[in-house]
Amino acid sequence: MKGIHARILASAGLAAIAFAGMPAYAQDAAQSGDAKAASDNANPEIVVTAQFRQQNLQDTPLAITAVNAAEMEQRGQTNVSQLANQAPNVTLKPQGQELGPGIIAYIRGVGQTDPNFALEPGVGMYLDDVYLPTLTGSLLDLADVERVEVLRGPQGTLSGRNSLGGSIKVYSTKPKGDNSGSVEVTVGSMNRIDAKAYFDVALSDNLAMRVSGATKNHDGYVRLLDYAQTHPGSNVPTNASGANPTLGWQGGQSFAAGKVALRWTPTPTVEVNLTGDYTRERDEPGAAVATYANASAVFAGPSATGGPRPWLMGTDGNPVRLNCQFVAYGVNSCDTLTGYDRRFISYSNYADNAPRDSQMAYKPYASPPHSNLDNYGAALTIDVDLTDSLKLKSISAWRHYTSDWSFVSDGAPVMNQLLDQGQENTQWSQEIRLSGKAANNTINYTVGGFYFHTKGLFTGRIDLNYAGIDFLHGPDPTPATSKALFANVSWEFVPGATINAGLRESWDKKDYSYLRHNPDGTDIQGPCTFFLQLAGVVPGPLLAGPTGLGNQPNCLLFGLNGTSAHFQTSRTDWRVALDYRFSPGFMAYAQVSTGYRGGGVNPRPFYPSQEQVFTPETITAYEVGFKSDLFDRMLRFNVSAFYNDYKNIILQASYCADLAALGQASPCLRPTNTGSAHVKGFEVETSLHPVDGLSIDGALSYLDFKYTSVDTASTGVTANMVTPYTPKWKWSFGIQYEIQSVLGGTLTPRFDGSYQSHIYSDALNVDSQIVSSTNVAKTLTPVGPINLDGGGGPLATLVASNRINGYFLGNARLTWRQDTDKPLSVSLEVQNVFNKYYYLSKYSQFNAAGAISAAPGMPRTWAVTLRKDF
């Protein structure tokens, strides 16, 4: 290896040698015979199961961030996306409004944003070792969770398919039968009311039950305003039913979840765990505000009377233009609103009030704003000790979810697109592992098999005024099956030196069927009259394109209904790792591993020409690192460096450049094998307990992403761009101090800070594209043509960007905890202490639809939590 990646790996190797050569105080501590607590200030031992057996985190030759329940409580973390603040080179964010109740997940530049069943996530999500196949339903709650393991780098042999970036494994607390329990209530900003509780009881000598539940509720923080009432004299018609200009809110939450777990130990060698869980969400749409608006907002061609065909007819009979007047805040705003915090304002009304005509025949249309999810399942895990050195584990699971959500993209009463989408998934999985030891316990091995089957349905009313279509998508069935056989072995061939090897063979297949109809359920007629005119089949004056008056409604989609696509592949992944323990307090490792993400078919073709297959993406990763516990385990310092050869990268193309000659480049939302890249970087994690009561933790990561080849002709992506949601730098720290004997308890102040550098929301990175507000349709820019005429307005030019600038967030928490076995505790927390305004995600369609929206993070909030254990 040459260049910077070689220097990164070499630097980590030199650091490992340097640390190994130190007269490590950790070695002295370990040799004293106390393996768990070398001193009162020692870092605790953390047990993980990343290699199919229980191991100390510091003995595992993998880059892992492990977080236990106490740490999550100290930081006030309530869902899995918040863990990314402390995990280097990990990005986890709630999905934007456009993609519903789910998560965006990227690790080391590998991931996915789209939850559609046709695509696979690049980061594997697991709940109690049960694989979750889509991003929808994977924004997991952390109530009654024992620990979370975030594994970075490909887990192809350990976790299987779709974990080439890494995996996130959430483990629930098992029943203990100790008749314990807890009740917790939180109140705070935005009428926040949370509650969670559990009780754990012994039903018999060998049967324990744990019941837990949680609810989270708060108001939204982006206000939906009626533009007409807040801007008297404008050309915009009102959508309010009374004098109150507030139409609703975005970003509110109404969440409830419950779980029942049974643990049965009929013999000392058999343990059976049966769980059932249910989650119900009835949320407001995700928070979204307009950051760019620029479209003439008229359909193609003249109306029957010769005038324009507006998306929204103004009060004076002229079209309402989509322009800077509807951007409440930012560089592209010319809004005059006063009396409100314009950073958190949207003029969306979730209503398409376009006049009906023979081509747009299904207007008006409205979708009540909502984001709903019902997610439930059951799992049966059986552990059998066949002998002292041979164990059998069986994991059987069934899960089901239904979700539906509404989405508008422009933050305006002028509707360029309005979607009401839904997903339904049913899955079955079975995994068998046989683990054993041999050669005087110097060999640990696991062999097993995995079976997974899912049936997914995607439905939607897809109203795209910017494209001149309004249709029913689906229900598109997407059955898929995955099978795998795997083997992993660890051999300590000399004392302190262990070689780890793994092999996994996978077989995947997936089918996708396309169903497309008019909104009333009738068949779409075609071909478009316009195309027949071009072919000389139909005489008469040429129509204004395939969406002009005189064409059949949705005729662009003719030919898609009833078609199907099939994808099938097999894959072999492998891993080889070598680790050496130089001393009880210092271990170094090096490994090479592979992973893959399954291919598939484009689930959203707008033309038959876009009905295309994409192949699996693959990765070969080289990693070195060390893990150290120094100074009597007072300091934990772990470092990893990696170099990834990343091929056939699957990213979503928002412009199908290769179809431009056919006039079918836009609209486009096509998964495409964009290119290949070399990805390199390093990660540092540390934890320090310098004096009694004081603890400090920190993390730092760097990532350099470079395309080595890229299909610019098909996607517009160029070699200097990076994958979405991939910051070059991330760092975080936390500090807390326990003050003893305060009112009969311990008072603990804590502060957490985290920073990420800038990211992009799309594969086609756009830092700053200047666009004229009087732009003429089809004007070419470096990132593709602008498909719509500009919207005019007071600003002569606008700035289009899908860049999210870097930001630092600070959170503070003060906890008093009673010094008893069953304590009472009270906590006061402030999230986003410095009231930073920042974006979590963006939805950019400035070239196709004339709009960009962004999901702002929550402003500064406070909360008080009361908890009682019993």
Side-chain angles (χ1 to χ4, degrees):
M1 293 181 289
K2 297 181 179 179
I4 188 172
H5 63 270
R7 293 196 294 271
I8 289 173
L9 298 182
S11 297
L14 289 173
I17 294 171
F19 273 95
M22 292 175 60
Y25 294 97
Q27 180 174 359
D28 298 336
Q31 288 176 343
S32 69
D34 186 355
K36 291 191 176 182
S39 74
D40 291 339
N41 297 327
N43 277 282
E45 180 178 293
I46 300 174
V47 176
V48 297
T49 56
Q51 294 193 124
F52 298 135
R53 65 184 189 276
Q54 290 190 345
Q55 287 180 283
N56 184 344
L57 173 69
Q58 298 300 95
D59 293 334
T60 308
L62 294 166
I64 306 176
T65 299
V67 185
N68 60 32
E71 292 170 317
M72 289 182 275
E73 181 181 355
Q74 290 164 357
R75 295 167 179 156
Q77 294 169 330
T78 61
N79 71 62
V80 71
S81 72
Q82 296 165 332
L83 299 178
N85 291 341
Q86 283 76 41
N89 275 326
V90 177
T91 299
L92 303 173
K93 297 181 182 296
Q95 281 283 12
Q97 183 185 132
E98 67 276 8
L99 293 174
I103 194 171
I104 296 169
Y106 274 80
I107 297 179
R108 292 182 175 176
V110 180
Q112 180 59 272
T113 60
D114 194 337
N116 192 282
F117 300 113
L119 295 99
E120 305 289 347
V123 174
M125 303 291 293
Y126 294 81
L127 176 61
D128 294 325
D129 282 327
V130 175
Y131 175 63
L132 306 179
T134 68
L135 299 174
T136 298
S138 292
L139 185 61
L140 300 174
D141 184 68
L142 297 178
D144 207 29
V145 165
E146 179 189 78
R147 73 183 189 280
V148 180
E149 298 177 11
V150 181
L151 286 69
R152 302 184 297 278
Q155 307 297 314
T157 62
L158 297 170
S159 298
R161 65 200 293 258
N162 307 326
S163 295
L164 73 168
S167 60
I168 299 171
K169 299 189 173 185
V170 178
Y171 293 95
S172 304
T173 305
K174 290 183 178 181
K176 302 179 181 66
D178 58 359
N179 298 317
S180 64
S182 174
V183 176
E184 179 178 302
V185 177
T186 300
V187 296
S189 304
M190 303 176 189
N191 293 318
R192 177 182 173 183
I193 301 177
D194 297 355
K196 61 182 180 180
Y198 81 86
F199 65 88
D200 195 319
V201 297
L203 301 180
S204 70
D205 291 342
N206 59 12
L207 181 62
M209 179 178 71
R210 189 179 182 97
V211 179
S212 58
T215 179
K216 298 186 290 188
N217 307 271
H218 65 77
D219 293 342
Y221 56 99
V222 170
R223 186 191 299 260
L224 301 176
L225 283 179
D226 182 77
Y227 189 88
Q229 289 199 2
T230 54
H231 298 74
S234 71
N235 188 36
V236 179
T238 184
N239 209 60
S241 57
N244 186 358
T246 298
L247 303 177
W249 295 84
Q250 295 175 340
Q253 182 180 41
S254 178
F255 168 98
K259 184 172 186 176
V260 178
L262 295 171
R263 186 182 188 189
W264 181 42
T265 52
T267 72
T269 60
V270 176
E271 179 180 319
V272 180
N273 285 276
L274 176 65
T275 62
D277 65 272
Y278 173 73
T279 297
R280 181 183 188 272
E281 296 184 44
R282 295 295 182 269
D283 300 335
E284 295 170 349
V289 296
T291 63
Y292 174 99
N294 189 30
S296 58
V298 293
F299 297 108
S303 68
T305 59
R309 302 170 60 214
W311 297 354
L312 179 65
M313 185 71 75
T315 56
D316 63 359
N318 293 311
V320 178
R321 305 298 182 180
L322 180 62
N323 60 33
C324 61
Q325 64 182 322
F326 299 119
V327 179
Y329 176 79
V331 66
N332 294 321
S333 174
C334 61
D335 191 10
T336 58
L337 179 72
T338 60
Y340 298 90
D341 186 347
R342 286 163 50 185
R343 301 174 304 166
F344 300 100
I345 294 296
S346 171
Y347 297 114
S348 295
N349 56 24
Y350 292 83
D352 179 1
N353 291 314
R356 179 181 301 186
D357 59 30
S358 61
Q359 197 275 333
M360 299 303 294
Y362 304 98
K363 312 293 186 180
Y365 166 61
S367 175
H370 66 284
S371 179
N372 300 336
L373 174 69
D374 290 274
N375 191 359
Y376 46 91
L380 176 66
T381 302
I382 303 174
D383 291 277
V384 180
D385 294 347
L386 300 175
T387 68
D388 290 342
S389 59
L390 190 62
K391 302 178 184 296
L392 177 69
K393 177 184 281 286
S394 169
I395 306 169
S396 309
W398 171 89
R399 296 201 64 82
H400 177 85
Y401 73 71
T402 58
S403 65
D404 61 275
W405 66 95
S406 52
F407 164 59
V408 294
S409 73
D410 48 23
V414 186
M415 200 60 58
N416 75 350
Q417 57 187 302
L418 173 60
L419 283 71
D420 192 345
Q421 302 173 86
Q423 287 196 167
E424 180 177 341
N425 179 63
T426 303
Q427 67 180 71
W428 300 263
S429 62
Q430 176 64 54
E431 185 167 356
I432 297 289
R433 303 175 191 163
L434 184 66
S435 301
K437 298 181 178 181
N440 295 320
N441 296 333
T442 60
I443 294 177
N444 289 273
Y445 63 87
T446 299
V447 296
F450 174 75
Y451 173 82
F452 179 85
H453 181 70
T454 181
K455 293 181 178 179
L457 285 175
F458 181 89
T459 60
R461 169 76 180 263
I462 312 300
D463 180 6
L464 305 179
N465 283 342
Y466 73 87
I469 52 179
D470 177 11
F471 63 99
L472 291 182
H473 179 136
D476 288 0
T478 316
T481 301
S482 180
K483 305 172 185 177
L485 296 174
F486 56 87
N488 287 272
V489 62
S490 298
W491 176 34
E492 188 177 7
F493 56 95
V494 297
T498 303
I499 187 169
N500 305 272
L503 189 68
R504 189 179 188 109
E505 184 73 19
S506 302
W507 299 267
D508 297 334
K509 65 178 181 179
K510 179 183 296 185
D511 294 291
Y512 198 100
S513 299
Y514 301 94
L515 299 176
R516 304 291 185 269
H517 292 89
N518 291 316
D520 62 356
T522 59
D523 290 340
I524 293 171
Q525 303 299 312
C528 296
T529 301
F530 172 76
F531 294 140
L532 295 177
Q533 289 181 319
L534 292 179
V537 176
V538 174
L542 190 65
L543 301 179
T547 61
L549 208 61
N551 290 283
Q552 311 91 317
N554 300 307
C555 61
L556 280 176
L557 303 174
F558 179 73
L560 283 174
N561 186 57
T563 62
S564 61
H566 175 76
F567 177 82
Q568 187 167 347
T569 190
S570 62
R571 165 76 181 182
T572 302
D573 281 311
W574 53 269
R575 170 180 178 249
V576 177
L578 176 66
D579 64 81
Y580 184 73
R581 181 156 292 284
F582 291 88
S583 72
F586 189 92
M587 183 268 283
Y589 69 92
Q591 70 167 350
V592 183
S593 58
T594 68
Y596 83 106
R597 175 153 65 115
V601 297
N602 181 13
R604 300 185 185 93
F606 294 96
Y607 310 93
S609 61
Q610 294 180 4
E611 195 174 316
Q612 297 176 358
V613 171
F614 52 95
T615 60
E617 66 180 25
T618 64
I619 202 166
T620 302
Y622 307 85
E623 182 175 327
V624 296
F626 65 82
K627 298 187 176 185
S628 61
D629 283 329
L630 307 172
F631 309 112
D632 211 16
R633 283 178 43 196
M634 180 182 68
L635 172 64
R636 176 164 293 164
F637 192 73
N638 296 344
V639 175
S640 58
F642 60 90
Y643 169 79
N644 295 342
D645 188 7
Y646 188 16
K647 294 181 177 179
N648 295 324
I649 301 170
I650 301 168
L651 296 172
Q652 182 168 278
S654 56
Y655 178 69
C656 296
D658 55 316
L659 301 177
L662 301 175
Q664 299 173 1
S666 182
C668 173
L669 292 171
R670 182 185 65 186
T672 303
N673 293 109
T674 303
S676 298
H678 290 163
V679 187
K680 44 192 175 284
F682 65 82
E683 298 151 350
V684 179
E685 294 182 279
T686 186
S687 178
L688 174 66
H689 299 265
V691 297
D692 289 348
L694 178 63
S695 62
I696 303 170
D697 60 80
L700 171 69
S701 62
Y702 168 81
L703 185 142
D704 181 57
F705 184 101
K706 295 292 184 184
Y707 280 111
T708 56
S709 63
V710 62
D711 185 1
T712 303
S714 297
T715 64
V717 175
T718 58
N720 62 336
M721 297 179 180
V722 301
T723 48
Y725 298 97
T726 302
K728 183 178 287 287
W729 289 99
K730 279 190 67 183
W731 53 264
S732 66
F733 69 90
I735 182 170
Q736 72 176 40
Y737 184 67
E738 296 179 354
I739 306 171
Q740 303 293 331
S741 302
V742 177
L743 301 176
T746 301
L747 185 66
T748 306
R750 180 178 177 89
F751 184 85
D752 288 284
S754 61
Y755 169 81
Q756 71 163 44
S757 59
H758 74 268
I759 57 176
Y760 300 92
S761 62
D762 295 88
L764 187 61
N765 305 164
V766 181
D767 279 293
S768 178
Q769 178 64 51
I770 305 300
V771 182
S772 170
S773 62
T774 57
N775 170 79
V776 177
K778 306 303 180 183
T779 298
L780 189 63
T781 76
V783 290
I786 306 296
N787 289 341
L788 304 172
D789 290 340
L795 299 183
T797 59
L798 303 171
V799 181
S801 174
N802 56 35
R803 171 176 167 144
I804 298 174
N805 289 329
Y807 56 86
F808 172 84
L809 297 178
N811 301 321
R813 188 176 177 93
L814 180 66
T815 300
W816 176 83
R817 183 180 178 88
Q818 189 179 20
D819 289 336
T820 64
D821 292 339
K822 306 295 182 181
L824 172 72
S825 65
V826 182
S827 299
L828 168 65
E829 70 175 38
V830 179
Q831 299 281 326
N832 194 1
V833 170
F834 306 111
N835 204 26
K836 175 67 176 178
Y837 186 71
Y838 65 101
Y839 296 134
L840 293 165
S841 61
K842 278 189 175 182
Y843 184 72
S844 176
Q845 285 198 317
F846 76 91
N847 55 347
I852 301 174
S853 61
M858 294 183 73
R860 180 170 51 225
T861 61
W862 63 268
V864 176
T865 299
L866 179 67
R867 174 183 173 126
K868 179 68 174 91
D869 295 336
F870 57 85

